[in-house]
Amino acid sequence: MKTSDALSLVVLAAACALGLDQTFGGAAGPPPAAGSVEALAPHTLQRGLSAERQAKFAAALGSQFGSWDQPRLPRLEKGDALLRGAQAYPSKCGHCHGGTGTANTSTARMLMPKPRDFSRGVIKFTSTPAGEPPTLDDLQRLIRDGVPTTAMAGFGALPAEEIDALARYTRWLLLRGAVESEVGAALADDPQLEPAKAVAAAYRIQRLEWLRPAKGETPTALADHVTDSEAIARGEELYASPRAGCVACHGPQGDGDGPASVHPQTGEPIQRDLWGAPIRLRPLRDGRWHGGNKPEELYLRIAEGVQGTPMPPRRNDLSSAEISDLVAWLLSLKEGDRK
Amino acid sequence: MTLPSAKGHPWIHRMAVLAVGIAVLLTTGLGGAVTSTEVGMAYPTWPDINGMSLFNFFYGEIAEEFGAGAGLEHTHRQAGALIGLLAIGLIIGCHRGGAPLHWRRLSHWTLGLVVAQGALGAVRVLGNSQALAIVHAMGAQLCIVALVALAKHSSKAWTESTQSTAHPEAGRLRLWTRATFFILLLNLVAAASLRHKAGAFSGHFVLALTATVSMVQVMRLSLSHFKDHHGIRAGALRLGVLLTLQLILGGFTWSVLFGPGLGWFDDSQARFVAQSSLATAHLILGVSVLAQVAALDMEARWRVHPS
């Protein structure tokens, strides 16, 4: 073998080793210890807490919630479903959502929209009123059915017990994140606040909310209502009215180009969601919505809003019949049928 | 080394070429589309299709009942079965036609690989295993290489002239074609891992660059030292064209998945279609590149030898 060939092959072999290391070493590795500062979410680390307080805060969270593979939710979770969820999560969910649920993974960086970061304690598409936590059913549905037109595929092929276990573990991540968000903000405001006491107090209150979240209501006759031509006409008229306020963001034609949504000159999105991502509203005539395409799902999106985004709940401004009319009109939209 | 004379089996060659075309464009292409559109678990059952037979050709009804993604997975399975039938046809053709021993062995290997690939697909679905999905993706490449080998050995150019030519650079060419083949396999592992969300993009990028350097070396050796050898020269030129197209397509795929191309689409559905189409086309071309490198390796091993 020529020396030049040998040297070249050695260099290429080293490059291959680097490539393989990047491929598998860069994937979701073991998460940091649950009670360590490294386990704190990025938004917590940006609050300007002292190193000592960060360490105490992290230790308090670790003590309250257990570790990533030995999680606990005192007086909320019994049985071994949570532990089974902890075992299944890394292989089923970790490469997108990350070992700590912050979606800070190399896979997440390649996806748009990005996988949900659970460390804020919020997910967008729930059946509960604005400000309420999701139900276990919400989480099971999302895992089973996925989120249309995103990389969150449906895992409906998994056994029901495994979906339930993953839902419980996701709830654990969210609740941990909710407490971390709430207490992190409180610690930043009050330098005298003791992290361990604050975490315990926040958990006591949050636990009750997460145990039995209120459920959003949908009209019983919605399925029939949405096919009524008069309801569709009323919905179209309501959409364009100032009272409904839809046009400000969604635009007059529903293309997501309203003045509150995109910059008039550049066309760049103006608003961001809770996780800092720019909000590009999808064209309503797309006919496929991340929150689901069923009438009751659309109803809840309008009535209760989309958590973590500027889409507000409208149940106090619009009647149930009016929201149903809007749903009827949305479902009637098809490409090319719009005026 | 001299190959045994193998004249008079044009139909075996035609069938092998047909199988390569179907395997690359249809079976692997559809399989790639399945992954690109994330419908690999559209049918969590095997061998039936959610209670239906594999040999159901009412695609409209399937899509209506189970969704378009299920239709994609359905046709992928059917294309896999078609390759299996062709592989059986090749064995029968080789044995009944009195083809040379090495053809018959290749046909046995091909069927074995195709059957293993089908079994892998079944276990992947039944176990919902991401790891096996990646192995299944790699298995497809090996099936195609086996079919390419049979197509090459049964080609007119090979059957009519079985002599191997002595050449001082033959050893180097063999070294580099074989090294390139293995680097490409590693790159495909990285790419499959990336597509199944088990690996980072940076790994695929590094390995793709490494494979490109290696392929450029193969082309350089082939075109500088084997100008009079039609098979090697033509293979190197084809490799150059495929590689150029693949690099361009790779750039576009990266752009719509990670880069500035994300902003080209306001409509998320259009973006999804573009992303999955480009990723699938990039995969098909990648398979073609591997097949061409394998073909060049065969030329280097069977048609020339070190002097």
Side-chain angles (χ1 to χ4, degrees):
Chain A
M1 187 189 298
K2 278 187 165 186
T3 308
S4 59
D5 284 344
L7 285 172
S8 301
L9 286 171
V10 166
V11 169
L12 291 179
C16 287
L18 173 66
L20 289 172
D21 179 65
Q22 288 285 305
T23 298
F24 300 111
S36 67
V37 171
E38 289 75 23
L40 291 175
H43 59 82
T44 301
L45 295 171
Q46 288 160 10
R47 291 195 183 276
L49 302 177
S50 68
E52 185 189 350
R53 288 189 99 207
Q54 279 184 353
K56 285 183 178 178
F57 186 21
L61 285 170
S63 173
Q64 179 66 56
F65 291 96
S67 62
W68 313 110
D69 58 345
Q70 295 283 325
R72 58 172 180 268
L73 285 177
R75 301 178 67 193
L76 183 60
E77 276 287 350
K78 296 175 194 172
D80 63 351
L82 184 57
L83 281 176
R84 283 188 282 110
Q87 286 161 6
Y89 176 88
S91 62
K92 297 288 190 302
C93 319
H95 49 83
C96 287
H97 290 281
T100 60
T102 56
N104 187 22
T105 62
S106 52
T107 299
R109 284 191 280 281
M110 76 176 235
L111 299 174
M112 181 169 167
K114 300 213 174 301
R116 183 57 56 231
D117 168 6
F118 299 133
S119 71
R120 299 277 189 175
V122 173
I123 59 170
K124 284 186 177 179
F125 309 117
T126 69
S127 64
T128 55
E132 290 275 336
T135 63
L136 264 181
D137 284 343
D138 287 336
L139 298 174
Q140 287 167 355
R141 177 181 48 79
L142 283 165
I143 293 169
R144 187 182 54 244
D145 300 340
V147 179
T149 76
T150 74
M152 177 64 192
F155 287 82
L158 295 178
E161 298 78 28
E162 192 167 359
I163 292 176
D164 177 66
L166 285 168
R168 290 176 188 273
Y169 188 75
T170 305
R171 183 173 69 168
W172 177 80
L173 285 168
L174 284 165
L175 181 43
R176 188 185 194 281
V179 168
E180 183 177 348
S181 292
E182 181 186 329
V183 174
L187 290 174
D189 286 341
D190 183 355
Q192 305 304 318
L193 188 61
E194 176 57 42
K197 286 182 181 173
V199 165
Y203 179 72
R204 275 196 298 275
I205 295 169
Q206 293 264 9
R207 180 185 70 84
L208 293 172
E209 292 177 8
W210 284 73
L211 184 62
R212 271 185 296 273
K215 204 154 162 52
E217 292 174 3
T218 58
T220 49
L222 188 60
D224 295 325
H225 186 94
V226 297
T227 55
D228 183 274
S229 56
E230 289 179 9
I232 294 170
R234 287 195 303 267
E236 184 175 9
E237 192 180 333
L238 181 61
Y239 173 84
S241 70
R243 189 165 75 87
C246 309
V247 171
C249 289
H250 289 281
Q253 300 299 318
D255 293 330
D257 55 355
S261 180
V262 294
H263 192 280
Q265 269 88 48
T266 64
E268 289 301 306
I270 295 171
Q271 308 202 54
R272 288 181 178 265
D273 62 19
L274 177 64
W275 299 271
I279 297 176
R280 293 180 189 276
L281 292 173
R282 58 195 306 110
L284 295 177
R285 64 177 179 273
D286 198 340
R288 300 182 71 187
W289 295 274
H290 290 162
N293 304 332
K294 296 177 186 163
E296 54 272 18
E297 288 166 336
L298 283 173
Y299 185 96
L300 285 170
R301 295 291 72 75
I302 301 171
E304 308 298 348
V306 179
Q307 303 210 38
T309 76
M311 173 73 186
R314 306 311 312 278
R315 58 181 145 77
N316 293 329
D317 306 315
L318 302 174
S319 68
S320 175
E322 287 175 325
I323 296 175
S324 301
D325 289 343
L326 280 173
V327 172
W329 177 69
L330 284 170
L331 287 171
S332 75
L333 291 178
K334 290 194 189 78
E335 185 69 47
D337 287 1
R338 315 261 325 284
K339 295 192 186 67
Chain B
M1 175 182 291
T2 304
L3 289 166
S5 176
K7 287 185 186 175
H9 300 281
W11 281 103
I12 294 176
H13 176 66
R14 286 170 193 153
M15 200 185 300
V17 169
L18 177 67
V20 169
I22 290 175
V24 171
L25 291 173
L26 208 56
T27 315
T28 307
L30 283 169
V34 162
T35 306
S36 301
T37 52
E38 312 227 8
V39 294
M41 290 303 297
Y43 284 152
T45 58
W46 191 91
D48 65 298
I49 317 286
N50 281 7
M52 290 190 298
S53 159
L54 174 66
F55 300 103
N56 182 330
F57 297 96
F58 296 102
Y59 301 114
E61 288 178 12
I62 293 167
E64 196 176 323
E65 182 160 358
F66 298 113
L72 204 53
E73 167 68 7
H74 187 89
T75 46
H76 169 61
R77 291 192 190 187
Q78 288 181 326
L82 181 58
I83 292 296
L85 289 172
L86 283 168
I88 292 170
L90 281 167
I91 286 186
I92 294 172
C94 285
H95 279 269
R96 292 192 71 179
L101 179 62
H102 64 287
W103 292 19
R104 280 178 268 149
R105 282 183 179 152
L106 266 174
S107 68
H108 300 162
W109 272 101
T110 301
L111 182 63
L113 284 168
V114 168
V115 168
Q117 180 66 350
L120 263 173
V123 179
R124 178 266 183 274
V125 161
L126 292 172
N128 193 13
S129 166
Q130 181 194 63
L132 282 179
I134 295 169
V135 176
H136 185 60
M138 297 311 299
Q141 321 297 329
L142 298 178
C143 288
I144 287 168
V145 168
L147 285 167
V148 166
L150 191 52
K152 198 108 180 110
H153 278 271
S154 58
S155 66
K156 196 174 174 186
W158 278 48
T159 55
E160 287 186 345
S161 168
T162 56
Q163 291 294 324
S164 173
T165 314
H167 196 291
E169 298 293 323
R172 288 187 73 202
L173 184 63
R174 286 179 178 187
L175 175 69
W176 278 100
T177 53
R178 191 53 60 97
T180 303
F181 183 77
F182 282 111
I183 294 172
L184 269 173
L185 279 182
L186 290 177
N187 184 37
L188 287 168
V189 169
S193 301
L194 172 67
R195 283 167 57 73
H196 290 275
K197 307 198 176 58
F201 169 74
S202 52
H204 173 48
F205 184 67
V206 169
L207 283 161
L209 274 182
T210 309
T212 299
V213 167
S214 195
M215 279 186 273
V216 167
Q217 174 67 347
V218 165
M219 286 188 288
R220 198 180 66 79
L221 273 173
S222 302
L223 295 171
S224 328
H225 300 290
F226 296 86
K227 288 181 197 146
D228 297 330
H229 196 291
H230 172 74
I232 292 175
R233 193 180 74 249
L237 287 171
R238 272 195 296 271
L239 181 61
V241 170
L242 287 171
L243 177 61
T244 305
L245 287 172
Q246 180 68 334
L247 290 172
I248 294 171
L249 202 53
F252 275 108
T253 307
W254 168 83
S255 183
V256 296
L257 284 175
F258 308 86
L262 282 168
W264 292 344
F265 308 93
D266 287 329
D267 179 31
S268 62
Q269 181 70 358
R271 184 172 58 234
F272 179 72
V273 169
Q275 286 175 332
S276 43
S277 301
L278 280 168
T280 304
H282 187 55
L283 175 145
I284 293 173
L285 215 48
V287 170
S288 306
V289 168
L290 180 75
Q292 184 56 62
V293 169
L296 261 174
D297 184 64
M298 287 174 223
E299 291 278 348
R301 240 144 262 288
W302 291 92
R303 309 295 278 175
V304 291
H305 60 270
S307 53

